[in-house]
């Protein structure tokens, strides 16, 4: 291991330890504030009411801190993949049902374009759902700036590759931000933590896959995930990668 790598690993452990140490005092602060709030709720005086509102603000901030620490710990620890036979078609349909109301409210039309045998793939369904959810939420946010638009999820199995694309007609990504998209904590949103894409990339890589994107500012964005469809061949993706499954080498051609 190089010096730079071992230093990075050491810093990672240190940061993980720090985040862990922050968790306990944070939950004590939260609990104490809640108790204080309960006491104050019984008081009718105006001063007590003001104090109650201030405590609400503190509780919100404590929750925000807690979320940041939790996400950091999830990210730092990585996941134990639980590979299971999964109906990806059903998983995406269910995700669409879940997001349907939100999409409707935001004037967003969502389409699912499925091709090939998606109903019996081996992957970690919880993590893949989480990754797709993050990409779809980002797509929705990108469309909000335009007052709505289209989102397409395209999933295809071809040969040894599973390709999943999430395409939106939203605001697009500024050229100057393209290098930083997957970095933890990179966000352009007022309430974003910037962990979404970092987590998506981690999940994809844990599956032995790759994620890329194409985007044009003002026009839209396409995220492209490539996973090995056959887990027996996991790790072989790099040798057969192509950006589009259409142009990827097929089984038997290699
Ligand atoms: N589909 C998209 N279109 C345009 N910009 C995008 C898209 N997806 C991501 N981005 C940009 O990349 C940034 C990082 O995304 P990421 O999901 O990591 O964090 P976030 O959405 O800001 O916060 P959160 O942690 O809540 O997901 C976003 O703030 C946004 O600027
Ligand atoms: Mg996000």
């Amino acid at each position: 291991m190089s010096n730079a790598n071992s230093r990075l690993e050491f810093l990672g452990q240190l940061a993980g330890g720090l985040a862990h140490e922050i968790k306990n005092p944070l939950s004590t602060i939260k609990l104490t504030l809640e108790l204080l709030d309960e006491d104050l709720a019984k008081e009718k005086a105006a001063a007590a009411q003001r104090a109650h509102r201030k405590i609400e603000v503190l509780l919100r901030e404590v929750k925000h801190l807690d979320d940041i620490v939790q996400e950091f710990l999830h990210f730092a620890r990585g996941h134990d993949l639980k590979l299971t036979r999964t109906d990806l078609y059903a998983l995406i349909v269910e995700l669409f049902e879940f997001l349907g109301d939100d999409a409707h409210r935001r004037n967003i039309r969502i389409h699912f374009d499925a091709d090939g045998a998606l109903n019996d793939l081996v992957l970690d369904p919880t993590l893949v759902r989480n990754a797709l959810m993050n990409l779809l939420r980002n797509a929705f946010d990108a469309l909000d700036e335009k007052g709505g638009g289209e989102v397409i999820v395209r999933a295809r199995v071809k040969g040894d590759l599973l390709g999943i694309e999430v395409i939106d007609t939203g605001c697009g990504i500024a050229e100057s931000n393209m290098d930083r998209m997957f970095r933890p904590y990179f966000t352009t949103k007022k309430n974003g933590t910037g962990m979404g894409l970092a987590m998506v990339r981690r999940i994809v890589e844990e599956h032995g896959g790759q994620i890329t994107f194409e985007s044009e500012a003002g026009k839209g964005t396409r995220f492209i995930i490539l996973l090995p469809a056959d887990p027996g061949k996991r790790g072989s993706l790099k040798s057969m990668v192509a950006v589009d499954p259409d142009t990827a080498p097929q089984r038997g051609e290699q």
Side-chain angles (χ1 to χ4, degrees), residues 138 142 168 172-173 181 186-189 192-197 221 223:
N138 282 346
D168 69 66
I173 297 163
M181 298 292 292
F186 171 71
T187 183
T188 56
K189 298 175 194 169
T193 47
M195 286 303 281
L197 283 179
T221 304
F223 278 88

Side-chain angles (χ1 to χ4, degrees), residues 55-185:
I55 287 178
E56 299 282 298
V57 174
L58 288 177
L59 275 170
R60 259 202 312 279
E61 291 301 310
V62 166
K63 182 175 179 311
H64 185 54
L65 263 181
D66 196 43
D67 287 347
I68 290 174
V69 172
Q70 290 291 0
E71 275 191 58
F72 176 86
L73 285 171
H74 273 144
F75 186 77
R77 283 188 193 128
H79 310 96
D80 290 329
L81 273 199
K82 294 191 184 70
L83 294 173
T84 339
R85 290 207 169 277
T86 302
D87 185 344
L88 183 65
Y89 185 88
L91 186 150
I92 293 175
V93 168
E94 189 268 332
L95 203 55
F96 271 35
E97 277 165 13
F98 181 75
L99 291 170
D101 285 345
D102 193 28
H104 187 69
R105 252 197 314 277
R106 295 159 82 163
N107 200 22
I108 294 168
R109 285 172 302 282
I110 47 181
H111 312 276
F112 179 22
D113 174 6
D115 187 6
L118 298 169
N119 61 337
D120 191 22
L121 296 165
V122 177
L123 40 84
D124 185 319
T126 311
L127 293 181
V128 168
R129 185 181 192 279
N130 181 327
L132 289 176
M133 182 75 100
N134 268 300
L135 291 176
L136 286 165
R137 286 202 187 289
N138 282 346
F140 282 19
D141 290 346
L143 283 164
D144 278 344
E145 295 190 18
K146 287 186 153 182
E150 315 272 332
V151 175
I152 304 169
V153 174
R154 186 174 288 156
R156 288 185 276 183
V157 174
K158 282 211 170 176
D160 289 333
L161 282 181
L162 161 64
I164 307 174
E165 294 172 43
V166 178
I167 304 159
D168 69 66
T169 58
C171 61
I173 297 163
E175 190 104 25
S176 53
N177 286 337
M178 288 194 175
D179 287 350
R180 308 185 270 178
M181 298 292 292
F182 293 106
R183 256 187 229 167
Y185 303 118

Side-chain angles (χ1 to χ4, degrees), residues 26 39 106 122 212 220:
L26 211 53
D39 287 347
R106 295 159 82 163
V122 177
T212 51

